[in-house]
Amino acid sequence: MPAYLDNAATTKPCEEAVSACIAAMTENYGNPSSLHKVGLSAELAVTDARKSIAAALVCQPECITFTSGATEANNTLILGAAENYGRRKKKIVVSAVEHPSVEETVKLLEKNGFEAVRIKPQRDGSVDADEFVAAVDNNTCLASCMYVNNETGAIMPVKRIFTQIKRLYPDCITHCDAVQAFMKLPIKTADLNADLITVSGHKVHAPKGVGAMYIRKGIRIAPRMIGGGQEKGLRSGTESVPLISAFGAAVRSQLPTIATAYSNAEELSGRLRKKLSALNYITINSNAEEQCPYILNFSVSGIRSEIMLHFLESKNIYVSSGSACSKGGHSSVLTAMGIPDKTADSAIRVSLSRMSSCGEVEALVTAIQEGYLSLAKR
Ligand code: PMP
């Protein structure tokens, strides 16, 4: 049995998602814009999925727009907010550890005359709420902070940050990339004080290629994709009914058990942390005061991440070096936390899902010990 422990990169689609996807391709294959009943039935499937995502974010379905994933949602929301709210206000405040789909979008805006302030993480990987808020001023059009960091699992104080920003600067738009928190931590949109939220399907046991953005009522986002006017003009293009239905089905089936899945992840992660901490050649990099149990980042002294990753692969155990998106490149997140290059070069990210088991964690611990013994000698 393989131990798939790379769930922050992507998850295995659940049965509910697969069935919904197949049904939308074999039976319910209409175009939601068609006026006949085959089209109407496809439209209903999209409406149902929208309701499920809205239920998970505790918001109204009208606030949810489907996209091709979180990258598109982050691009659309940040560029769209800058276009409408950044004509005179040219400052953007973000954390320095955002996913590239946020960071690269912010860089593009910098090329177009915006000023970006990046708030560095503390040594534990989380950003300081007061420091973040202090960087926002009357000239700031957008503040963006992720909920859970995809490399370390550090939970950011997004609620505190956004609540204070909204109190001091009600016109500043707040955006949260909640990809690694969605369906893991309870997210209540109103409590979070976020105007804009990004989520992705394939991190929550739905297929790749579908995501959603929450846009608070009254916030105007200029679309990136124009054409047929689908999704209320915010995202033109025929809706991917199979992927959207699968996303909805995955979320619907998991919603009642978020808390039990969280406890299970806490138990597994606690066990893993305890066993790894007992090994004197392991440094745990995920130490945030508020830490998401689904992600654990650690370094194996003297063994480069990729070498250990391939050793584990030979044992049928799948993890990541840093984030899957950086394709093995140096982790800017660990560097920003002040972790020495040598330690960052040997970082391994283990990420759990609601499908993870104790057996997988045990197999990983055994293999890390074997790997260290055989690789350290070379
Ligand atoms: N944001 C975060 C925090 C992520 O972890 C990811 C996926 N690695 C993305 C955005 C991009 O998501 P997608 O693959 O759906 O474009």
Side-chain angles (χ1 to χ4, degrees):
M1 266 278 283
Y4 183 75
L5 297 167
D6 198 14
N7 291 282
T10 199
T11 55
K12 180 180 176 184
C14 59
E15 277 173 26
E16 290 83 353
V18 174
S19 307
C21 193
I22 292 173
M25 290 191 288
T26 51
E27 297 152 32
N28 199 7
Y29 48 77
N31 183 328
S33 296
S34 292
L35 296 177
H36 45 68
K37 65 181 180 194
V38 183
L40 184 65
S41 166
E43 191 191 348
L44 285 176
V46 173
T47 303
D48 260 4
R50 201 185 310 282
K51 281 186 192 155
S52 299
I53 312 300
L57 288 173
V58 198
C59 68
Q60 288 167 312
E62 303 84 76
C63 298
I64 300 296
T65 304
F66 288 109
T67 63
S68 66
T71 297
E72 184 192 329
N74 280 337
N75 274 252
T76 305
L77 293 175
I78 293 169
L79 295 175
E83 191 172 320
N84 279 343
Y85 298 91
R87 292 213 182 94
R88 278 184 295 275
K89 298 177 174 194
K90 291 289 178 201
K91 189 167 157 185
I92 298 168
V93 181
V94 286
S95 89
V97 290
E98 294 296 317
H99 184 267
S101 55
V102 169
E103 172 55 24
E104 292 301 315
T105 310
V106 170
K107 272 195 196 138
L108 178 65
L109 287 171
E110 281 180 302
K111 281 192 197 137
N112 292 322
F114 283 82
E115 175 207 354
V117 177
R118 293 176 179 80
I119 308 302
K120 281 209 165 152
Q122 308 166 104
R123 181 67 204 231
D124 74 352
S126 72
V127 293
D128 181 70
D130 294 337
E131 191 188 339
F132 197 113
V133 176
V136 177
D137 60 19
N138 272 324
N139 193 34
T140 308
C141 62
L142 178 71
S144 179
C145 186
M146 68 197 332
Y147 206 134
V148 170
N149 182 266
N150 50 304
E151 290 193 41
T152 63
I155 300 177
M156 305 295 179
V158 190
K159 187 173 160 180
R160 263 189 67 201
I161 294 173
F162 288 176
T163 305
Q164 287 185 50
I165 290 176
K166 283 292 175 189
R167 194 164 45 78
L168 297 167
Y169 308 99
D171 295 339
C172 175
I173 303 295
T174 51
H175 166 249
C176 180
D177 175 343
V179 166
Q180 299 290 352
F182 186 55
M183 302 305 289
K184 295 186 172 74
L185 311 176
I187 303 177
K188 275 198 189 140
T189 308
D191 282 0
L192 202 58
N193 264 309
D195 295 316
L196 310 168
I197 299 175
T198 296
V199 296
S200 178
H202 72 105
K203 313 285 182 175
V204 299
H205 306 285
K208 292 144 197 65
V210 63
M213 44 193 186
Y214 159 85
I215 304 175
R216 189 162 68 83
K217 273 212 173 114
I219 302 292
R220 291 167 295 113
I221 291 297
R224 290 304 104 195
M225 203 78 90
I226 52 175
Q230 288 89 344
E231 294 292 273
K232 286 200 276 181
L234 268 166
R235 206 282 183 175
S236 284
T238 303
E239 299 87 342
S240 175
V241 185
L243 299 182
I244 291 171
S245 305
F247 190 14
V251 167
R252 205 174 312 128
S253 69
Q254 290 163 36
L255 206 45
T257 52
I258 288 188
T260 35
Y262 186 90
S263 313
N264 185 45
E266 245 180 346
E267 201 189 309
L268 293 183
S269 152
R271 176 185 286 261
L272 180 59
R273 187 181 280 271
K274 198 168 151 209
K275 297 215 162 173
L276 292 178
S277 302
L279 306 172
N280 62 6
Y281 48 86
I282 301 270
T283 310
I284 307 276
N285 301 318
S286 294
N287 295 310
E289 210 170 290
E290 283 204 63
Q291 177 69 39
C292 179
Y294 286 90
I295 297 179
L296 188 72
N297 192 307
F298 58 90
S299 295
V300 187
S301 176
I303 298 171
R304 285 175 54 84
S305 313
E306 270 175 66
I307 308 283
M308 181 54 91
L309 184 147
H310 291 304
F311 178 85
L312 295 175
E313 181 188 23
S314 74
K315 305 272 169 197
N316 239 352
I317 296 169
Y318 303 98
V319 299
S320 238
S321 57
S323 75
C325 314
S326 58
K327 278 245 158 92
H330 204 77
S331 160
S332 58
V333 172
L334 296 183
T335 306
M337 285 162 63
I339 288 177
D341 285 355
K342 264 193 103 170
T343 311
D345 280 343
S346 59
I348 295 287
R349 178 189 69 180
V350 169
S351 45
L352 309 171
S353 82
R354 56 169 51 229
M355 295 179 184
S356 300
S357 69
C358 189
E360 288 179 307
V361 166
E362 292 294 341
L364 172 72
V365 175
T366 307
I368 291 272
Q369 288 169 279
E370 283 174 21
Y372 182 75
L373 284 179
S374 84
L375 300 168
K377 278 189 282 186
R378 287 189 200 165

